[in-house]
Amino acid sequence: MPASFIFYNARVKTWDAIIIGGGIIGLTLAIGLRKRGFSILIIERGELGHEASYAAAGMLADCPSELPQSLWQLAAASAKMYPEFVHELEDESGIKMDLRDNGTVLLSRHALPEDNLQKDNLRALTSSELAALEPEIKHEGPAFFRAERSLDPRSLTKAAIAAIKHREVDVVSGTTVQQVLISSQKVTGVLTEKREYSSAIVINCAGAWAGEIFPRQFTTKPVKGQMLALLGTSLQHVVRAPGVYFVPRSDGRLVVGSTLEDAGFDKRVETDVIQRLHQAAIDLVPALQSARLHEAWAGLRPGTQDEQPILGETATQGYFAATGHYRDGILLAPITAKLMAQVILGEKPEFDLSAFSVLRFEPSHRAVG
């Protein structure tokens, strides 16, 4: 598989840390550790930023009712970090990102309790207010507005790739890590199909493939999502409705998503699925009948048994994990990088990460937890 780029200094025999996986989680963590003076090697099985990060819609939705309670604080903190996070990446990379703060329109089939409105910071919309915000929407039920941002993940990963290059992060792409090397219960590096790479710290950020690396200390699973993009719409807000969502881009594209499929590592785009999504979009916004199909794609979200990420050190000294972010990898990237850097440096993390420990999947832990 062609690599987006490879920059690797063969004279360097060891690194302070090796990151397995070059998605947005691995990229932002590499930047965070370089800020702390670490030498970093990223090993990516394909192209940097071209798996779940490339396929994501980019909704920065920290809505409590849509997240496990243990993620509320992390999601809110990460969402607040985004303007500065994007500004720093734009300044370092020279790449403009499509960060939008127009807010989100939520469409429902039924009224929501007042407690939910307060918890999620939702404002109920009258039919005339909805029509003023998005006149093309045809919806008879309750509608709500929430102040939240969205961005184009592809511009984000492009900027992060430029930033790690600027910070002289070493990268080997197009090669697969087969094993984390361990001696006397301590990490010594990793083994790919081509060679060994040495480091006393390894961070598994391999997304849906994280559990495929020996020794398999935890399980992740791919959750397939198929999506499409249309051209020719006037929608200005993110719109979330039962069965479909819309994420406008500033260049005129409209992302429409998405499916949730247990299909293993199958990334094929299925015509009938895309047609059903397209029809669901037209049912809600009839004007999309004349919109042109620009692109269709599929991605593999990194899921876990409890749909929460795995963050922190494993039972093996020097082996860390930052994976399993499921549908929230883009949202949680800034806070994940910050907290994981703190953990790796032996500092007390800003938030308690015990709920995200890999140890929660151990039988003995589940029995008493």
Side-chain angles (χ1 to χ4, degrees), residues 36-361:
R36 300 293 200 101
F38 274 48
S39 59
I40 303 293
L41 170 66
I42 295 177
I43 304 179
E44 164 56 43
R45 61 186 300 279
E47 292 188 61
L48 292 178
H50 267 67
E51 291 293 349
S53 304
Y54 188 83
M59 293 178 287
L60 303 181
D62 59 333
C63 199
S65 66
E66 299 175 8
L67 295 166
Q69 187 172 352
S70 57
L71 273 177
W72 289 358
Q73 284 188 310
L74 266 62
S78 205
K80 289 179 182 178
M81 292 173 68
Y82 247 94
E84 183 178 354
F85 173 62
V86 164
H87 175 75
E88 289 182 358
L89 272 181
E90 287 180 336
D91 187 57
E92 185 165 1
S93 68
I95 294 171
K96 180 67 175 176
M97 275 178 271
D98 188 18
L99 179 65
R100 298 166 58 94
D101 60 359
N102 291 9
T104 295
V105 173
L106 293 98
L107 307 177
S108 178
R109 295 191 180 101
H110 52 79
L112 299 179
E114 184 64 30
D115 288 349
N116 284 43
L117 299 183
Q118 293 180 4
K119 180 176 70 175
D120 293 339
N121 196 24
L122 296 174
R123 177 172 63 86
L125 297 172
T126 65
S127 56
S128 59
E129 287 174 329
L130 174 61
L133 287 174
E134 292 293 356
E136 292 184 347
I137 289 177
K138 303 302 179 185
H139 175 70
E140 298 300 328
F144 308 90
F145 180 84
R146 188 172 195 271
E148 59 186 32
R149 298 182 175 92
S150 67
L151 87 164
D152 183 352
R154 297 181 186 180
S155 67
L156 173 65
T157 54
K158 185 178 180 181
I161 290 167
I164 66 163
K165 186 173 184 179
H166 177 258
R167 289 183 178 272
E168 299 181 332
V169 172
D170 291 312
V171 173
V172 175
S173 54
T175 189
T176 301
V177 173
Q178 299 177 335
Q179 181 177 348
V180 175
L181 300 175
I182 299 168
S183 178
S184 301
Q185 301 300 311
K186 297 180 181 180
V187 161
T188 61
V190 301
L191 174 67
T192 72
E193 73 268 41
K194 297 177 181 178
R195 58 160 289 180
E196 294 183 9
Y197 298 91
S198 298
S199 178
I201 295 174
V202 172
I203 309 105
N204 189 330
C205 301
W209 290 265
E212 301 292 301
I213 300 167
F214 186 84
R216 294 180 174 88
Q217 296 194 4
F218 49 89
T219 58
T220 55
K221 68 171 185 176
V223 181
K224 182 179 179 180
Q226 298 187 57
M227 306 170 69
L228 63 139
L230 301 171
L231 292 175
T233 173
S234 65
L235 290 181
Q236 294 299 311
H237 302 80
V238 171
V239 179
R240 300 208 299 269
V244 69
Y245 61 71
F246 305 102
V247 186
R249 306 282 193 239
S250 296
D251 63 3
R253 288 176 295 147
L254 180 70
V255 173
V256 181
S258 168
T259 63
L260 289 170
E261 305 172 51
D262 185 1
F265 289 96
D266 179 8
K267 287 177 58 181
R268 289 176 295 178
V269 176
E270 299 165 281
T271 301
D272 61 329
V273 174
I274 296 302
Q275 287 176 343
R276 286 199 301 270
L277 270 177
H278 194 181
Q279 187 58 54
I282 292 170
D283 291 344
L284 192 61
V285 182
L288 293 177
Q289 181 73 56
S290 59
R292 180 166 63 88
L293 178 63
H294 173 68
E295 181 185 5
W297 66 95
L300 301 177
R301 309 173 186 89
T304 62
Q305 293 103 304
D306 57 6
E307 299 183 354
Q308 297 182 87
I310 301 169
L311 303 173
E313 190 167 15
T314 70
T316 301
Q317 184 176 336
Y319 186 26
F320 299 82
T323 189
H325 290 74
Y326 191 36
R327 305 178 75 177
D328 301 305
I330 301 298
L331 168 64
L332 295 174
I335 196 66
T336 295
K338 181 178 183 179
L339 296 176
M340 287 301 300
Q342 292 170 345
V343 170
I344 291 165
L345 271 73
E347 301 169 359
K348 182 179 179 180
E350 186 175 321
F351 295 98
D352 180 12
L353 298 180
S354 58
F356 313 110
S357 169
V358 65
L359 299 178
R360 73 186 188 271
F361 299 122

